[in-house]
Amino acid sequence: MSNKEISIQVIRRLPRYYRFLTELQNDGVDKISSTKLSAIMNITASQIRQDLNCFGGFGQQGYGYPVAQLKEEIGNILGLSNKYKAILLGAGNMGKAVATHMDFSSLGFELCGIFEKSGELIGTTLRDITIKPDDEVQSFCKENDIKTAFLCLPKDAVSAQIDMLYSLGIKNFWNFSHYDITKKYADTIVENVHMNDSLMTLCYRITQNNKEK
Amino acid sequence: MSNKEISIQVIRRLPRYYRFLTELQNDGVDKISSTKLSAIMNITASQIRQDLNCFGGFGQQGYGYPVAQLKEEIGNILGLSNKYKAILLGAGNMGKAVATHMDFSSLGFELCGIFEKSGELIGTTLRDITIKPDDEVQSFCKENDIKTAFLCLPKDAVSAQIDMLYSLGIKNFWNFSHYDITKKYADTIVENVHMNDSLMTLCYRITQNNKEK
């Protein structure tokens, strides 16, 4: 089966496998059975076997999965050795959190530029990158062949900039706003981080739990 | 069907419905058909009808859904009118982003306290809340009957604090770290925000898209 045909549900579990395998490797674990991996990851062993079978040929039945090899292969499937050049728009609290917390190079990206509207942040540095004014986005992206943008902007600001970004050939977005990029540009690749949705889900689960008591 | 039996997949779509319905309401839209809602939300109309049927009795077939009423009912299901008291641990960049960006009161929560280890942040304010030192967490939670914590801490810091928090009766967590809380305490309610996983998924999708070209 080619990777193209793998369902998005399986794909969305791969980063989690990668994360747990990285921890096992750091803990010096060489091999792990689907049963043990199942206990650590809190998903069924049969789900694990089914997921990993999608990509074919991982591990030897009965011997467990070789941790380092499995991690490397999942990393290859995810494409983490790439260095996709990206810019960050918005150096407010969320932009700062993203710029300082993320280990982009281990996640397939290289953060090349940070842009901000507000005057006082221009010229300051974040992660050794000097923050530039918004009006330099176009020239920077053309010079550096940027195809990916991380958007730490309010919805209205994304709305105001999205046409310019798209016209520059930027079609890959990591989006922290609630602006719906794919609705306007269907051929973009967008991963949304909707923190509100996550908190509402927590609220629902607490509410249900209280009802059951 | 009671809400208990609703699948987590449906639940996870509810915040998205709520978000889009809020926008429609703000735009002055009174009624919307499942077909139109489908086009806006980029999911099939039959999925929408199926999801909303889970909760019974929304809208009149052929007349469209009343936007304000549907929004309110979904808000009720999510429990957004609650004011679950919560503390925030960690006032670094991520904690700051969370404290300043989130409209907690519209999401079912009330942020009551912010705690931080680092000396220089103690005594400063975030969103009119004075940041307190970590060693006041216990007394604060007991006095204010806190059951929910937002964790904007590194994994190791969560590991060091989780026993104390659990012993205080805090069993609801919004977790930005990669520490696996449910593995240690199975009776907790945890929503994780794994930004790394999201960025790895973006990397995968870009990589696949490049292969297809």
Side-chain angles (χ1 to χ4, degrees):
Chain A
M1 192 190 285
S2 85
N3 290 352
K4 260 201 280 190
E5 297 162 61
I6 309 292
S7 81
I8 190 71
Q9 281 75 20
V10 178
I11 298 308
R12 292 202 182 279
R13 280 194 288 272
L14 287 184
R16 199 153 169 265
Y17 283 111
Y18 191 82
R19 177 151 47 84
F20 278 90
L21 289 165
T22 302
E23 285 180 20
L24 287 166
Q25 194 182 27
N26 292 344
D27 292 345
V29 177
D30 287 337
K31 284 196 174 188
I32 190 155
S33 66
S34 51
T35 314
K36 279 193 182 159
L37 192 55
S38 156
I40 296 173
M41 291 186 62
N42 201 24
I43 56 180
T44 66
S46 89
Q47 177 80 77
I48 289 177
R49 286 190 293 267
Q50 201 179 313
D51 283 352
L52 299 182
N53 276 343
C54 283
F55 302 99
F58 283 131
Q60 307 98 312
Q61 197 85 33
Y63 290 88
Y65 297 105
V67 170
Q69 190 196 333
L70 183 57
K71 180 197 152 191
E72 193 185 333
E73 292 190 27
I74 290 177
N76 288 340
I77 292 164
L78 290 168
L80 303 184
S81 61
N82 285 290
K83 298 272 170 261
Y84 296 121
K85 288 196 262 182
I87 57 166
L88 169 66
L89 297 190
N93 287 311
M94 185 53 71
K96 268 187 201 132
V98 163
T100 53
H101 280 274
M102 306 299 297
D103 182 14
F104 295 109
S105 66
S106 73
L107 300 166
F109 294 91
E110 180 194 353
L111 182 60
C112 300
I114 303 176
F115 297 87
E116 170 64 46
K117 189 176 64 172
S118 152
E120 63 187 20
L121 288 168
I122 310 296
T124 64
T125 61
L126 256 182
R127 205 177 181 143
D128 296 332
I129 297 173
T130 303
I131 300 173
K132 295 181 170 63
D134 270 356
D135 57 16
E136 293 182 20
V137 169
Q138 292 204 357
S139 58
F140 185 89
C141 289
K142 283 178 189 165
E143 275 164 33
N144 293 281
D145 195 30
I146 304 291
K147 304 286 183 213
T148 302
F150 305 151
L151 304 178
C152 293
L153 299 170
K155 191 180 171 186
D156 292 347
V158 174
S159 174
Q161 301 240 35
I162 194 71
D163 295 337
M164 181 267 287
L165 294 170
Y166 186 85
S167 75
L168 289 168
I170 295 178
K171 294 190 178 177
N172 310 314
F173 295 96
W174 197 30
N175 179 31
F176 285 76
S177 82
H178 287 307
Y179 184 86
D180 188 350
I181 299 170
T182 47
K183 187 182 158 194
K184 183 153 192 186
Y185 294 112
D187 66 337
T188 51
I189 296 174
V190 183
E191 280 294 311
N192 294 298
V193 181
H194 286 318
M195 288 166 50
N196 277 10
D197 290 14
S198 170
L199 195 55
M200 281 194 245
T201 307
L202 181 65
C203 180
Y204 172 83
R205 293 177 61 199
I206 295 172
T207 304
Q208 286 307 112
N209 188 253
N210 288 345
K211 279 185 193 166
E212 286 163 22
K213 277 176 189 167
Chain B
M1 192 190 286
S2 84
N3 291 353
K4 260 201 278 191
E5 296 162 61
I6 308 292
S7 80
I8 189 72
Q9 281 76 21
V10 178
I11 299 307
R12 291 201 182 280
R13 280 194 288 272
L14 286 184
R16 197 152 171 266
Y17 283 112
Y18 191 82
R19 176 151 47 84
F20 279 91
L21 289 164
T22 302
E23 286 180 22
L24 286 166
Q25 194 181 27
N26 292 344
D27 292 346
V29 177
D30 288 337
K31 285 197 171 188
I32 189 154
S33 66
S34 51
T35 314
K36 278 192 185 162
L37 192 55
S38 155
I40 295 172
M41 292 186 61
N42 201 23
I43 56 179
T44 67
S46 89
Q47 176 81 78
I48 289 176
R49 287 190 292 267
Q50 200 179 313
D51 284 351
L52 299 181
N53 276 342
C54 283
F55 301 97
F58 283 131
Q60 308 98 313
Q61 196 85 35
Y63 292 87
Y65 297 105
V67 170
Q69 190 195 332
L70 184 56
K71 181 197 151 189
E72 192 185 332
E73 293 191 26
I74 291 178
N76 288 340
I77 292 165
L78 289 168
L80 302 184
S81 61
N82 286 290
K83 298 271 172 261
Y84 297 121
K85 289 196 262 182
I87 56 165
L88 169 66
L89 297 189
N93 286 312
M94 184 52 71
K96 268 188 201 133
V98 164
T100 52
H101 280 276
M102 305 300 297
D103 181 14
F104 295 109
S105 66
S106 73
L107 300 166
F109 295 90
E110 182 195 352
L111 182 60
C112 299
I114 303 175
F115 297 87
E116 169 65 45
K117 189 176 63 171
S118 152
E120 63 186 23
L121 288 168
I122 310 296
T124 64
T125 61
L126 255 182
R127 207 177 179 142
D128 296 332
I129 298 173
T130 303
I131 300 173
K132 294 181 170 62
D134 270 356
D135 57 16
E136 293 182 18
V137 169
Q138 292 204 355
S139 58
F140 185 89
C141 289
K142 282 177 189 165
E143 277 164 32
N144 293 280
D145 195 28
I146 304 291
K147 305 286 182 213
T148 302
F150 305 151
L151 305 178
C152 294
L153 299 169
K155 191 180 171 185
D156 291 347
V158 175
S159 175
Q161 302 240 36
I162 193 71
D163 295 338
M164 181 267 288
L165 294 170
Y166 186 85
S167 75
L168 289 168
I170 296 178
K171 294 189 179 178
N172 310 315
F173 296 96
W174 196 31
N175 179 30
F176 286 76
S177 82
H178 287 307
Y179 183 86
D180 189 351
I181 298 170
T182 48
K183 188 182 157 193
K184 183 153 193 187
Y185 294 112
D187 66 337
T188 50
I189 296 174
V190 183
E191 280 293 311
N192 295 298
V193 181
H194 286 318
M195 288 166 50
N196 277 10
D197 290 14
S198 169
L199 195 55
M200 281 194 243
T201 307
L202 181 65
C203 180
Y204 172 83
R205 293 176 62 199
I206 295 172
T207 304
Q208 285 308 111
N209 188 252
N210 288 345
K211 280 185 193 166
E212 286 163 22
K213 276 176 189 166

